[in-house]
Tab-separated table of all heavy atoms in Angstrom:
chain	number	residue	atom	x	y	z
A	5	GLY	N	11.195	1.231	19.913
A	5	GLY	CA	10.751	-0.055	20.463
A	5	GLY	C	9.174	-0.112	20.535
A	5	GLY	O	8.667	-1.143	20.217
A	6	ARG	N	8.643	0.999	20.925
A	6	ARG	CA	7.103	1.034	20.916
A	6	ARG	C	6.587	0.985	19.553
A	6	ARG	O	5.524	0.325	19.278
A	6	ARG	CB	6.631	2.316	21.617
A	6	ARG	CG	6.881	2.314	23.103
A	6	ARG	CD	6.185	3.392	23.847
A	6	ARG	NE	6.350	4.736	23.439
A	6	ARG	CZ	5.522	5.553	22.808
A	6	ARG	NH1	4.239	5.091	22.494
A	6	ARG	NH2	5.767	6.777	22.371
A	7	PHE	N	7.233	1.537	18.543
A	7	PHE	CA	6.814	1.483	17.182
A	7	PHE	C	6.950	0.093	16.631
A	7	PHE	O	5.937	-0.387	15.976
A	7	PHE	CB	7.715	2.447	16.313
A	7	PHE	CG	7.329	2.420	14.854
A	7	PHE	CD1	6.152	2.844	14.456
A	7	PHE	CD2	8.332	2.091	13.931
A	7	PHE	CE1	5.854	2.948	13.106
A	7	PHE	CE2	8.024	2.091	12.585
A	7	PHE	CZ	6.785	2.473	12.130
A	8	VAL	N	8.013	-0.493	16.850
A	8	VAL	CA	8.142	-1.984	16.375
A	8	VAL	C	7.100	-2.901	17.027
A	8	VAL	O	6.378	-3.664	16.347
A	8	VAL	CB	9.552	-2.496	16.684
A	8	VAL	CG1	9.673	-4.000	16.403
A	8	VAL	CG2	10.611	-1.703	15.934
A	9	LEU	N	6.890	-2.672	18.281
A	9	LEU	CA	5.898	-3.515	18.963
A	9	LEU	C	4.463	-3.238	18.405
A	9	LEU	O	3.729	-4.179	18.137
A	9	LEU	CB	5.838	-3.102	20.542
A	9	LEU	CG	4.735	-3.663	21.331
A	9	LEU	CD1	4.760	-5.230	21.353
A	9	LEU	CD2	4.784	-3.119	22.762
A	10	ALA	N	4.171	-1.997	18.103
A	10	ALA	CA	2.834	-1.668	17.643
A	10	ALA	C	2.685	-2.291	16.168
A	10	ALA	O	1.588	-2.791	15.846
A	10	ALA	CB	2.631	-0.138	17.563
A	11	VAL	N	3.633	-2.241	15.356
A	11	VAL	CA	3.623	-2.804	14.087
A	11	VAL	C	3.411	-4.289	14.070
A	11	VAL	O	2.597	-4.884	13.372
A	11	VAL	CB	4.881	-2.379	13.218
A	11	VAL	CG1	4.782	-3.115	11.806
A	11	VAL	CG2	5.015	-0.916	12.943
A	12	VAL	N	4.128	-4.965	14.965
A	12	VAL	CA	3.973	-6.368	15.124
A	12	VAL	C	2.573	-6.695	15.618
A	12	VAL	O	2.004	-7.688	15.063
A	12	VAL	CB	5.009	-6.869	16.141
A	12	VAL	CG1	4.721	-8.388	16.566
A	12	VAL	CG2	6.383	-6.815	15.566
A	13	GLU	N	2.006	-5.997	16.548
A	13	GLU	CA	0.751	-6.237	17.102
A	13	GLU	C	-0.426	-6.074	16.004
A	13	GLU	O	-1.327	-6.823	15.939
A	13	GLU	CB	0.388	-5.476	18.283
A	13	GLU	CG	1.179	-5.773	19.528
A	13	GLU	CD	0.869	-4.907	20.745
A	13	GLU	OE1	0.369	-3.763	20.512
A	13	GLU	OE2	1.139	-5.355	21.824
A	14	LEU	N	-0.143	-5.045	15.198
A	14	LEU	CA	-1.163	-4.759	14.117
A	14	LEU	C	-1.141	-5.913	13.104
A	14	LEU	O	-2.169	-6.362	12.519
A	14	LEU	CB	-0.870	-3.439	13.391
A	14	LEU	CG	-1.219	-2.225	14.258
A	14	LEU	CD1	-0.711	-0.914	13.628
A	14	LEU	CD2	-2.801	-2.144	14.376
A	15	HIS	N	0.068	-6.381	12.724
A	15	HIS	CA	0.217	-7.425	11.791
A	15	HIS	C	-0.399	-8.772	12.330
A	15	HIS	O	-0.955	-9.548	11.649
A	15	HIS	CB	1.603	-7.687	11.369
A	15	HIS	CG	2.130	-6.711	10.345
A	15	HIS	ND1	2.391	-7.062	9.052
A	15	HIS	CD2	2.323	-5.375	10.424
A	15	HIS	CE1	2.860	-5.962	8.359
A	15	HIS	NE2	2.665	-4.921	9.167
A	16	ALA	N	-0.158	-8.984	13.591
A	16	ALA	CA	-0.525	-10.210	14.219
A	16	ALA	C	-2.031	-10.269	14.643
A	16	ALA	O	-2.481	-11.354	14.904
A	16	ALA	CB	0.227	-10.449	15.583
A	17	ALA	N	-2.738	-9.130	14.649
A	17	ALA	CA	-4.163	-9.075	15.032
A	17	ALA	C	-4.906	-9.944	13.996
A	17	ALA	O	-5.807	-10.683	14.485
A	17	ALA	CB	-4.566	-7.622	15.039
A	18	ARG	N	-4.745	-9.807	12.779
A	18	ARG	CA	-5.459	-10.497	11.757
A	18	ARG	C	-4.402	-10.950	10.670
A	18	ARG	O	-4.439	-10.408	9.503
A	18	ARG	CB	-6.554	-9.713	11.159
A	18	ARG	CG	-7.514	-9.167	12.223
A	18	ARG	CD	-8.709	-8.436	11.647
A	18	ARG	NE	-9.676	-9.287	11.103
A	18	ARG	CZ	-10.951	-8.801	10.696
A	18	ARG	NH1	-11.173	-7.502	10.777
A	18	ARG	NH2	-11.818	-9.645	10.081
A	19	PRO	N	-3.539	-11.796	10.948
A	19	PRO	CA	-2.470	-12.229	9.979
A	19	PRO	C	-2.993	-12.738	8.653
A	19	PRO	O	-2.430	-12.443	7.617
A	19	PRO	CB	-1.614	-13.229	10.756
A	19	PRO	CG	-2.573	-13.802	11.841
A	19	PRO	CD	-3.419	-12.646	12.221
A	20	ASN	N	-3.944	-13.600	8.625
A	20	ASN	CA	-4.477	-14.181	7.409
A	20	ASN	C	-5.093	-13.091	6.475
A	20	ASN	O	-4.892	-13.080	5.322
A	20	ASN	CB	-5.602	-15.254	7.732
A	20	ASN	CG	-4.978	-16.546	8.319
A	20	ASN	OD1	-3.822	-16.756	8.107
A	20	ASN	ND2	-5.806	-17.216	9.025
A	21	LEU	N	-5.799	-12.180	7.095
A	21	LEU	CA	-6.334	-11.093	6.225
A	21	LEU	C	-5.252	-10.207	5.697
A	21	LEU	O	-5.241	-9.826	4.502
A	21	LEU	CB	-7.296	-10.240	7.178
A	21	LEU	CG	-7.904	-9.008	6.494
A	21	LEU	CD1	-8.819	-9.456	5.319
A	21	LEU	CD2	-8.732	-8.193	7.432
A	22	HIS	N	-4.229	-9.912	6.511
A	22	HIS	CA	-3.088	-9.098	6.097
A	22	HIS	C	-2.404	-9.820	4.939
A	22	HIS	O	-2.031	-9.133	3.950
A	22	HIS	CB	-2.157	-8.810	7.242
A	22	HIS	CG	-1.280	-7.649	7.029
A	22	HIS	ND1	-0.115	-7.721	6.294
A	22	HIS	CD2	-1.456	-6.383	7.568
A	22	HIS	CE1	0.443	-6.491	6.293
A	22	HIS	NE2	-0.336	-5.669	6.990
A	23	ARG	N	-2.218	-11.068	5.054
A	23	ARG	CA	-1.493	-11.823	3.918
A	23	ARG	C	-2.314	-11.821	2.629
A	23	ARG	O	-1.828	-11.575	1.588
A	23	ARG	CB	-1.277	-13.285	4.370
A	23	ARG	CG	-0.738	-14.229	3.347
A	23	ARG	CD	-0.486	-15.593	3.742
A	23	ARG	NE	-1.844	-16.188	4.449
A	23	ARG	CZ	-2.780	-16.623	3.720
A	23	ARG	NH1	-2.753	-16.642	2.365
A	23	ARG	NH2	-3.935	-17.094	4.305
A	24	ILE	N	-3.652	-11.934	2.781
A	24	ILE	CA	-4.485	-12.037	1.654
A	24	ILE	C	-4.525	-10.646	0.957
A	24	ILE	O	-4.385	-10.503	-0.231
A	24	ILE	CB	-5.895	-12.442	1.952
A	24	ILE	CG1	-5.900	-13.922	2.238
A	24	ILE	CG2	-6.911	-12.117	0.827
A	24	ILE	CD1	-7.169	-14.386	2.944
A	25	LEU	N	-4.637	-9.589	1.735
A	25	LEU	CA	-4.734	-8.215	1.171
A	25	LEU	C	-3.503	-7.761	0.515
A	25	LEU	O	-3.503	-7.007	-0.484
A	25	LEU	CB	-5.199	-7.229	2.224
A	25	LEU	CG	-6.603	-7.428	2.766
A	25	LEU	CD1	-6.859	-6.376	3.949
A	25	LEU	CD2	-7.691	-7.200	1.731
A	26	PHE	N	-2.317	-8.067	1.137
A	26	PHE	CA	-1.090	-7.552	0.701
A	26	PHE	C	-0.090	-8.529	0.024
A	26	PHE	O	0.986	-8.141	-0.316
A	26	PHE	CB	-0.476	-6.807	1.850
A	26	PHE	CG	-1.256	-5.669	2.351
A	26	PHE	CD1	-1.945	-5.825	3.603
A	26	PHE	CD2	-1.507	-4.577	1.646
A	26	PHE	CE1	-2.654	-4.856	4.097
A	26	PHE	CE2	-2.222	-3.456	2.071
A	26	PHE	CZ	-2.877	-3.715	3.252
A	27	GLU	N	-0.528	-9.772	-0.151
A	27	GLU	CA	0.250	-10.753	-0.849
A	27	GLU	C	-0.579	-11.410	-1.936
A	27	GLU	O	-0.139	-11.405	-3.121
A	27	GLU	CB	0.770	-11.803	0.115
A	27	GLU	CG	1.972	-11.374	1.019
A	27	GLU	CD	2.583	-12.450	1.716
A	27	GLU	OE1	2.319	-13.632	1.445
A	27	GLU	OE2	3.513	-12.233	2.527
A	28	GLU	N	-1.680	-12.025	-1.628
A	28	GLU	CA	-2.474	-12.795	-2.593
A	28	GLU	C	-3.244	-11.954	-3.574
A	28	GLU	O	-3.207	-12.180	-4.777
A	28	GLU	CB	-3.488	-13.693	-1.888
A	28	GLU	CG	-2.741	-14.867	-1.102
A	28	GLU	CD	-3.774	-15.815	-0.677
A	28	GLU	OE1	-4.987	-15.780	-1.073
A	28	GLU	OE2	-3.496	-16.649	0.281
A	29	ALA	N	-3.894	-10.860	-3.117
A	29	ALA	CA	-4.728	-10.059	-3.983
A	29	ALA	C	-3.864	-9.175	-4.869
A	29	ALA	O	-2.733	-8.853	-4.496
A	29	ALA	CB	-5.625	-9.208	-3.144
A	30	ASP	N	-4.399	-8.897	-6.114
A	30	ASP	CA	-3.728	-8.008	-7.030
A	30	ASP	C	-3.546	-6.627	-6.419
A	30	ASP	O	-4.442	-6.203	-5.658
A	30	ASP	CB	-4.430	-7.966	-8.309
A	30	ASP	CG	-4.275	-9.173	-9.118
A	30	ASP	OD1	-3.286	-10.020	-8.839
A	30	ASP	OD2	-5.151	-9.568	-9.924
A	31	HIS	N	-2.571	-5.811	-6.765
A	31	HIS	CA	-2.439	-4.511	-6.212
A	31	HIS	C	-2.534	-3.525	-7.428
A	31	HIS	O	-1.446	-3.234	-8.049
A	31	HIS	CB	-1.091	-4.384	-5.572
A	31	HIS	CG	-1.095	-5.030	-4.149
A	31	HIS	ND1	0.073	-5.191	-3.436
A	31	HIS	CD2	-2.079	-5.511	-3.460
A	31	HIS	CE1	-0.203	-5.856	-2.374
A	31	HIS	NE2	-1.513	-6.018	-2.284
A	32	PRO	N	-3.604	-2.906	-7.745
A	32	PRO	CA	-3.785	-1.927	-8.678
A	32	PRO	C	-3.093	-0.665	-8.178
A	32	PRO	O	-2.769	-0.512	-7.017
A	32	PRO	CB	-5.240	-1.751	-8.896
A	32	PRO	CG	-5.844	-2.154	-7.610
A	32	PRO	CD	-4.932	-3.280	-7.115
A	33	PRO	N	-2.968	0.359	-9.130
A	33	PRO	CA	-2.335	1.608	-8.722
A	33	PRO	C	-2.977	2.290	-7.550
A	33	PRO	O	-2.264	2.970	-6.703
A	33	PRO	CB	-2.395	2.484	-10.035
A	33	PRO	CG	-2.354	1.499	-11.064
A	33	PRO	CD	-3.143	0.291	-10.613
A	34	ARG	N	-4.232	2.135	-7.378
A	34	ARG	CA	-4.905	2.672	-6.263
A	34	ARG	C	-4.531	2.223	-4.902
A	34	ARG	O	-4.255	3.020	-3.912
A	34	ARG	CB	-6.457	2.467	-6.303
A	34	ARG	CG	-7.229	3.076	-5.263
A	34	ARG	CD	-8.713	3.011	-5.588
A	34	ARG	NE	-9.486	3.465	-4.399
A	34	ARG	CZ	-10.805	3.767	-4.427
A	34	ARG	NH1	-11.436	3.630	-5.585
A	34	ARG	NH2	-11.373	4.049	-3.372
A	35	VAL	N	-4.181	0.916	-4.834
A	35	VAL	CA	-3.665	0.359	-3.575
A	35	VAL	C	-2.257	0.800	-3.341
A	35	VAL	O	-1.838	1.172	-2.214
A	35	VAL	CB	-3.817	-1.101	-3.553
A	35	VAL	CG1	-2.952	-1.782	-2.309
A	35	VAL	CG2	-5.187	-1.598	-3.513
A	36	HIS	N	-1.410	0.882	-4.386
A	36	HIS	CA	-0.079	1.308	-4.274
A	36	HIS	C	-0.022	2.755	-3.779
A	36	HIS	O	0.831	3.111	-2.931
A	36	HIS	CB	0.721	1.243	-5.641
A	36	HIS	CG	1.042	-0.184	-5.944
A	36	HIS	ND1	1.932	-0.944	-5.252
A	36	HIS	CD2	0.661	-0.956	-7.016
A	36	HIS	CE1	2.039	-2.179	-5.819
A	36	HIS	NE2	1.343	-2.215	-6.911
A	37	ALA	N	-0.903	3.566	-4.266
A	37	ALA	CA	-0.949	4.959	-3.886
A	37	ALA	C	-1.400	4.993	-2.403
A	37	ALA	O	-0.776	5.918	-1.620
A	37	ALA	CB	-2.007	5.740	-4.609
A	38	CYS	N	-2.198	4.221	-1.899
A	38	CYS	CA	-2.643	4.138	-0.482
A	38	CYS	C	-1.430	3.758	0.362
A	38	CYS	O	-1.241	4.292	1.472
A	38	CYS	CB	-3.802	3.265	-0.344
A	38	CYS	SG	-4.524	3.382	1.253
A	39	VAL	N	-0.732	2.746	-0.052
A	39	VAL	CA	0.373	2.348	0.648
A	39	VAL	C	1.411	3.441	0.781
A	39	VAL	O	2.030	3.650	1.807
A	39	VAL	CB	1.013	1.040	0.084
A	39	VAL	CG1	2.377	0.682	0.691
A	39	VAL	CG2	0.121	-0.117	0.157
A	40	LEU	N	1.597	4.226	-0.323
A	40	LEU	CA	2.586	5.226	-0.325
A	40	LEU	C	2.182	6.321	0.632
A	40	LEU	O	3.030	6.953	1.398
A	40	LEU	CB	2.660	5.796	-1.788
A	40	LEU	CG	3.733	6.959	-1.908
A	40	LEU	CD1	5.098	6.559	-1.563
A	40	LEU	CD2	3.680	7.527	-3.362
A	41	ARG	N	0.886	6.653	0.679
A	41	ARG	CA	0.409	7.673	1.668
A	41	ARG	C	0.658	7.252	3.058
A	41	ARG	O	0.990	8.037	3.849
A	41	ARG	CB	-1.047	7.971	1.422
A	41	ARG	CG	-1.404	8.723	0.100
A	41	ARG	CD	-2.778	9.274	0.030
A	41	ARG	NE	-3.822	8.247	0.261
A	41	ARG	CZ	-4.302	7.569	-0.758
A	41	ARG	NH1	-3.917	7.826	-2.023
A	41	ARG	NH2	-5.253	6.671	-0.516
A	42	PHE	N	0.472	5.968	3.260
A	42	PHE	CA	0.574	5.339	4.588
A	42	PHE	C	2.054	5.587	5.028
A	42	PHE	O	2.355	6.058	6.115
A	42	PHE	CB	0.198	3.936	4.487
A	42	PHE	CG	0.564	3.028	5.719
A	42	PHE	CD1	-0.221	3.150	6.864
A	42	PHE	CD2	1.673	2.215	5.695
A	42	PHE	CE1	0.145	2.330	7.931
A	42	PHE	CE2	2.046	1.504	6.859
A	42	PHE	CZ	1.280	1.459	7.943
A	43	GLU	N	2.921	5.132	4.202
A	43	GLU	CA	4.380	5.245	4.486
A	43	GLU	C	4.852	6.695	4.677
A	43	GLU	O	5.663	6.983	5.585
A	43	GLU	CB	5.241	4.541	3.465
A	43	GLU	CG	5.004	3.006	3.411
A	43	GLU	CD	5.785	2.341	2.286
A	43	GLU	OE1	6.212	3.080	1.390
A	43	GLU	OE2	5.885	1.093	2.275
A	44	GLU	N	4.431	7.583	3.760
A	44	GLU	CA	4.818	8.975	3.857
A	44	GLU	C	4.373	9.707	5.146
A	44	GLU	O	5.096	10.357	5.793
A	44	GLU	CB	4.189	9.725	2.610
A	44	GLU	CG	4.884	9.455	1.310
A	44	GLU	CD	6.317	9.930	1.342
A	44	GLU	OE1	6.675	10.987	1.842
A	44	GLU	OE2	7.135	9.220	0.698
A	45	ALA	N	3.128	9.284	5.587
A	45	ALA	CA	2.639	9.890	6.811
A	45	ALA	C	3.453	9.477	7.991
A	45	ALA	O	3.819	10.270	8.851
A	45	ALA	CB	1.180	9.535	6.981
A	46	LEU	N	3.751	8.197	8.051
A	46	LEU	CA	4.546	7.705	9.221
A	46	LEU	C	5.943	8.267	9.194
A	46	LEU	O	6.600	8.653	10.153
A	46	LEU	CB	4.614	6.179	9.197
A	46	LEU	CG	3.235	5.501	9.325
A	46	LEU	CD1	3.491	3.896	9.357
A	46	LEU	CD2	2.504	5.915	10.537
A	47	ALA	N	6.616	8.273	7.930
A	47	ALA	CA	7.967	8.757	7.812
A	47	ALA	C	8.038	10.219	8.198
A	47	ALA	O	9.065	10.667	8.853
A	47	ALA	CB	8.486	8.484	6.449
A	48	HIS	N	7.066	10.993	7.779
A	48	HIS	CA	7.153	12.445	8.177
A	48	HIS	C	7.076	12.659	9.618
A	48	HIS	O	7.821	13.438	10.162
A	48	HIS	CB	5.861	13.108	7.464
A	48	HIS	CG	5.834	14.600	7.767
A	48	HIS	ND1	6.718	15.467	7.286
A	48	HIS	CD2	4.999	15.270	8.521
A	48	HIS	CE1	6.428	16.682	7.653
A	48	HIS	NE2	5.290	16.609	8.470
A	49	ALA	N	6.212	11.916	10.342
A	49	ALA	CA	6.132	11.927	11.781
A	49	ALA	C	7.356	11.618	12.414
A	49	ALA	O	7.850	12.139	13.350
A	49	ALA	CB	4.939	11.170	12.306
A	50	LEU	N	7.960	10.501	11.952
A	50	LEU	CA	9.270	9.933	12.531
A	50	LEU	C	10.334	10.862	12.283
A	50	LEU	O	11.220	11.083	13.128
A	50	LEU	CB	9.579	8.552	11.950
A	50	LEU	CG	10.825	7.922	12.430
A	50	LEU	CD1	10.878	7.810	14.025
A	50	LEU	CD2	11.013	6.531	11.753
């Protein structure tokens, strides 16, 4: 519950920026690699 709340708050803090960065802008391999590191770190802790 605390994890879900935190994710929602992070997304809601700057929703327009989040949409532009992760929906509108192109995602070269470098960004995909960064997203993968992000998910791996969280999944390992969980």
Side-chain angles (χ1 to χ4, degrees):
R6 290 196 302 114
F7 178 62
V8 173
L9 172 60
V11 174
V12 169
E13 289 181 337
L14 287 170
H15 280 249
R18 304 183 77 171
N20 288 337
L21 178 62
H22 202 278
R23 173 180 53 79
I24 289 169
L25 292 179
F26 300 106
E27 284 190 5
E28 289 189 17
D30 291 334
H31 286 169
R34 181 170 171 170
V35 172
H36 286 297
C38 189
V39 171
L40 180 61
R41 290 194 301 271
F42 170 81
E43 293 175 345
E44 287 293 325
L46 298 183
H48 179 71
L50 178 57

